[in-house]
Amino acid sequence: MMRLKIKLLVVFYKLIIFYKKVVNFFSKRIFKKPTNDRNATAMNNKVINDAAGKIGVSIRKMPHGYFQLKYDNSVHYSKSADFSFENLMAYKMCGNKLLTSTILAENEIPVPVFKAFSQDDYDRALEFFLSRNKPVVVKPCSGTSGGKGITVGVSSPSAFAHSFAKALCFSISVMVEDFEKGEDYRFTVLNGRVLTVVKRLPAYVAGDGVNNIGSLISLKNKAFFDPTADSKMFCTITVDADLVMCLNDQCLTLKSIPEKGKKVCLRKMSNASQGGEVLEVTEQCHSDYLKMAVRAANLMKTKLSGVDFIIEDIRCPYERGKTFINEVNTTPALYIVREPGVNGVINSKVGEEILKYVFDIVTSSDDD
């Protein structure tokens, strides 16, 4: 009976995913409505284009979204955050979240307690969830780009069934891991060096004592498209079942009116593609985490990666039980470092460091 229920839920969520794609297509192509058009690929490409112009690398657009990068007689290729210097096995390894956690755990890198299950293993998955006696994260073992199929803070058998089915829409197996509390950080690592550390904030609104949460979301999304507004988002906030559920857990609804200055969290997961924001904290980061990020990247055999941490206090030394790595990504967002300014001007410094590494370029600032 449970297997049938899960299969029906998978069909249900696949229909929802298809419906969203259709709506987005018609909104964008026919009705010309603005959507989440600060496209990640376009923003990554802009970082590399801007960086190339600053350090003298020539860049030429190629078919199917690829770019040719040339400096002196050396040539490399890129596409969004993918570069020809990365090896294929690193992509495959990091794309498998179960393998990533297994490798890190075997090498004494702290990861949340985890286990993976197939669709036919739902009874065992439920048994594991109940045995943890705490909220969990349910996610596809692969295909999690942009937070797809991930549900955070699952705490009831009913929610677990739905999150398990949603994850199966993106992968043939599902990973269940403990939900660890702490702040969410992304470490961008290049060839054994941390380029930047950012704190990732879940989507939120700040109360003004007048507007309800639904209206506050609309106002914040409107600022996203206003070039004169100081929006720190990369994508608009979409009202969906996960957002409503997050509000319900706080005894709130879209019609609730938060008091002035009160911050209302709209997502349990920190993700820029879901309306989240980022804050650079590289200078505040304790060296323990810089070393751990580099070690995790090396274990996964990556040249360029984004290592995702959950840390209680990034300023304090590492303490077991208060720090976890939950992912290593081979296609890190290059655009998440911002410059102060109108509507969040993207900083090209990560792109400059990548190109200097690729072509072994030494600038005057490197010698200082």
Side-chain angles (χ1 to χ4, degrees), residues 135-153:
V136 300
V137 176
V138 181
K139 61 186 179 182
C141 280
S142 58
T144 59
S145 174
K148 294 175 183 175
I150 301 177
T151 309
V152 175

Side-chain angles (χ1 to χ4, degrees), residues 52-286:
K54 289 182 178 180
I55 62 176
V57 172
S58 66
I59 185 166
R60 182 164 69 98
K61 193 170 184 179
M62 304 290 284
H64 303 291
Y66 287 85
F67 288 86
Q68 181 190 73
L69 308 168
K70 191 173 182 180
Y71 185 82
D72 288 340
N73 295 319
S74 184
V75 176
H76 281 270
Y77 294 89
S78 71
K79 184 177 184 180
S80 187
D82 296 325
F83 295 86
S84 53
F85 60 73
E86 195 67 83
N87 71 79
L88 178 61
M89 186 54 72
Y91 279 113
K92 290 182 176 291
M93 289 168 63
C94 291
N96 188 310
K97 305 309 175 186
L98 173 61
L99 178 62
T100 300
S101 290
T102 299
I103 290 173
L104 297 181
E106 287 179 350
N107 287 276
E108 299 185 346
I109 296 286
V111 299
V113 174
F114 66 93
K115 215 164 189 178
F117 305 90
S118 68
Q119 176 175 299
D120 294 334
D121 283 338
Y122 176 75
D123 290 340
R124 287 180 54 244
L126 179 62
E127 183 180 340
F128 175 74
F129 160 66
L130 294 173
S131 73
R132 298 310 301 158
N133 197 31
K134 63 184 296 186
V136 300
V137 176
V138 181
K139 61 186 179 182
C141 280
S142 58
T144 59
S145 174
K148 294 175 183 175
I150 301 177
T151 309
V152 175
V154 178
S155 57
S156 70
S158 174
F160 183 76
H162 281 266
S163 60
F164 193 88
K166 186 165 68 172
L168 283 171
C169 294
F170 299 92
S171 175
I172 60 172
S173 55
V174 176
M175 190 163 160
V176 182
E177 65 182 22
D178 285 354
F179 173 56
E180 301 294 350
K181 293 182 179 179
E183 304 289 354
D184 193 312
Y185 296 92
R186 160 64 62 86
F187 288 61
T188 302
V189 182
L190 175 66
N191 195 39
R193 182 165 64 98
V194 175
L195 299 183
T196 186
V197 183
V198 296
K199 181 178 180 179
R200 305 198 295 185
L201 306 173
Y204 71 91
V205 290
D208 59 8
V210 177
N211 289 288
N212 62 34
I213 292 173
S215 297
L216 291 170
I217 292 172
S218 296
L219 289 170
K220 197 167 185 180
N221 285 343
K222 186 177 180 181
F224 173 85
F225 294 107
D226 183 355
T228 65
D230 185 17
S231 173
K232 295 179 176 62
M233 296 193 300
F234 294 104
C235 293
T236 54
I237 300 168
T238 301
V239 176
D240 56 19
D242 289 338
L243 185 148
V244 173
M245 189 180 301
C246 183
L247 291 177
N248 288 343
D249 290 345
Q250 302 169 74
C251 300
L252 297 169
T253 70
L254 290 168
K255 294 183 178 180
S256 300
I257 301 176
E259 61 188 55
K260 187 174 182 178
K262 182 178 180 181
K263 184 176 173 180
V264 178
C265 186
L266 303 175
R267 301 276 183 196
K268 293 181 179 179
M269 182 168 57
S270 303
N271 197 301
S273 66
Q274 296 183 4
E277 300 178 10
V278 297
L279 175 67
E280 186 169 10
V281 294
T282 310
E283 297 302 319
Q284 302 173 28
C285 182
H286 193 279

